Amino acid sequence: MPGSRRVYAVHAACIRGVEAFPVTVEVSASGTIPGLTIVGMADAAVQEARVRIRCALRASDFEIPRCALTVSLAPGDVRKTGSGFDLPIAVAILALTNQIPVSGLDDYLFAGELGLDGSVSAVSGEVAYQLLARDNALSFAGGQGGTHVPVQGVACGILSHIGHLRLGIEAALGMPVSTEAPADPLVPPLDYGDVAGQEFAKRGIAVAAAGGLGMLMVGSPGSGKTMLAKRMTTILPPLDEDERQEALCIHSVLGEPVDSLLRGERPFRSPHHSVSVAGLVGGGRPVRPGEISLAHGGVLYLDELGEFPSTSLQMLRQPIEEGSIRVVRVDGAFTFPARFQLIAASNPCPCGYLGDRDIACRCSDAAIERYRTKLGGPLADRIDLIVDVARPDPDLIVRGAEGKTSSELLEDVMRGREFRSWRVASRGDGDGHDGLTSIDAAIASQALSNEGKTALLEIARRKHLTGRGIVRLSRVARAIADMAESQTIEPAHLMEASLLQGRRGDGEAC
């Protein structure tokens, strides 16, 4: 039964978007009819905590208070979701009824789900909880299981069983925790050396990686487009600390694996074309980030681009331009980071065999035109490179032909990125991206030589390029020049850029 203390409060939090929002869990006891009432806009998962807590306390040989307990989740005007409130509510009840030592409890933020046997399990979003604890000069106490990600600047402890709190919070968090987990299957690392006969496509991907450019691969089924895309993260530099922390927070909130992120690898996301708008850009109830946020800092691969609904593709324009997506719902406005490298793939026609050297295309001219028009829709302005990917000669595959490896391509990419950083720092050159609203200014920022300007004009006239098309061409040429460590864009750079833009002309996507 409660002693002299009538109210006790502990620190907790709930996930809103990709951030943890501070919540104070207050428990009050009164001498009326026994029961447990939770107030403060709690959803069904939070309300179900009453059953889990009662069973967990009984299984841990704690006394279930024979009085009316009221749990208030403050602030009361914010909806609370998830099972992470089990642990802080149970801690507050046990502290209020003098069944555990209260020393040190005020220094911790609690989040965990209780099992019916009193065990404490980790909940999604631990990285966000730890960041909130660090910002509020608190330590974090969570449950066992899941992937525990250490966050610099915050002490983190694992509570495996609610019964350990009898020893005090410090001793309970110091109890041994089972960390046994099934060994991950050995998966050979991806490498571009495994892709035979696609050296031109590899070059295009390296240019896209060096310049941060959008890319579309067009080819018949089985030509290797997905193999090429999946290996792009192997030629990108490792995540820096800020990017890694943002990516870890997003993946933690959604309960996604984070082992590769901890190794510094960039994320790779490949949503199916049937994905909903909310699944792609974020939304739902409660509001959660989508695939474009899970690709933050890495690669978003859209296979079969022509099969994606136009509405979904249209939603990608803002995040590509701004590096974030803002989702407004009844519960409020949510901003999710979404800075990614866009790679897409498509067949050349509905049947997939237009231009194939061995299989004849079965599509009508009208069907081909409709298909190309769809590819030239909302994302056309953000696709800088269009590379034709032909099915490789079977002889190359059987003989095991060798081409450029990921390590060799990574050297090219890093050389281009480092040279661009030096160029921008020394001369103040831009890259012709979104900061410049004038087409003339965008082209001028690319630093073309006099011969380069002449070559650009000739290509623009031959391919009937619009102003936007000229900017796209010069942007690709700028990335190629950076990889060659050239301060100015020369005709050779523009010729290669024109080849990497495929059959694109004025208003065409492929």
Side-chain angles (χ1 to χ4, degrees), residues 62 87 91 94 99-105 108 110 118 120 140-144 156-178:
F62 285 114
L87 179 59
V91 169
L94 294 174
Q99 298 187 67
I100 61 173
V102 299
S103 176
L105 294 180
Y108 282 86
F110 295 91
V120 186
F140 174 72
Q144 64 179 346
C156 179
I158 299 175
L159 180 66
S160 60
H161 197 279
I162 192 71
H164 295 164
L165 287 173
R166 289 191 179 91
L167 306 175
I169 183 64
E170 296 295 340
L173 296 179
M175 297 289 289
V177 177
S178 174

Side-chain angles (χ1 to χ4, degrees), residues 329-354:
R329 295 292 184 270
V330 174
D331 294 341
F334 303 80
T335 300
F336 303 135
R339 190 171 57 255
F340 53 84
Q341 179 98 37
L342 176 65
I343 302 295
S346 176
N347 293 331
C349 66
C351 79
Y353 294 103
L354 179 65

Side-chain angles (χ1 to χ4, degrees), residues 109-127:
L109 185 150
F110 295 91
E113 178 179 340
L114 292 181
L116 301 185
D117 60 351
S119 60
V120 186
S121 301
V123 293
S124 299
E126 279 203 355
V127 174

Side-chain angles (χ1 to χ4, degrees), residues 259-295:
D259 294 342
S260 60
L261 299 178
L262 292 174
R263 295 192 297 266
E265 298 175 11
R266 294 184 178 270
F268 177 87
R269 303 298 299 188
S270 178
H272 190 260
H273 57 74
S274 63
V275 65
S276 66
V277 173
L280 185 63
V281 303
R285 188 175 180 88
V287 178
R288 290 289 185 265
E291 287 289 332
I292 63 173
S293 294
L294 286 168

Side-chain angles (χ1 to χ4, degrees), residues 103-249:
S103 176
L105 294 180
D106 290 342
D107 298 328
Y108 282 86
L109 185 150
F110 295 91
E113 178 179 340
L114 292 181
L116 301 185
D117 60 351
S119 60
V120 186
S121 301
V123 293
S124 299
E126 279 203 355
V127 174
Y129 289 125
Q130 292 182 55
L131 293 174
L132 177 64
R134 183 189 64 185
D135 294 342
N136 289 273
L138 298 171
S139 300
F140 174 72
Q144 64 179 346
T147 303
H148 292 280
V149 181
V151 174
Q152 187 175 6
V154 58
C156 179
I158 299 175
L159 180 66
S160 60
H161 197 279
I162 192 71
H164 295 164
L165 287 173
R166 289 191 179 91
L167 306 175
I169 183 64
E170 296 295 340
L173 296 179
M175 297 289 289
V177 177
S178 174
T179 57
E180 294 184 2
D184 293 332
L186 294 177
V187 179
L190 299 177
D191 194 286
Y192 275 114
D194 303 329
V195 184
Q198 298 292 3
E199 297 308 302
F200 180 71
K202 290 181 187 179
R203 173 64 175 178
I205 287 179
V207 172
L213 306 173
M215 178 177 176
L216 171 64
M217 293 179 286
V218 180
S220 56
S223 57
K225 302 185 292 295
T226 299
M227 286 184 65
L228 290 163
K230 283 184 175 180
R231 287 158 174 76
M232 187 171 190
T233 56
T234 65
I235 64 172
L236 294 173
L239 291 165
D240 61 34
E241 186 57 34
D242 291 339
E243 291 173 326
R244 189 174 75 100
Q245 183 170 286
E246 289 177 337
L248 283 171
C249 190

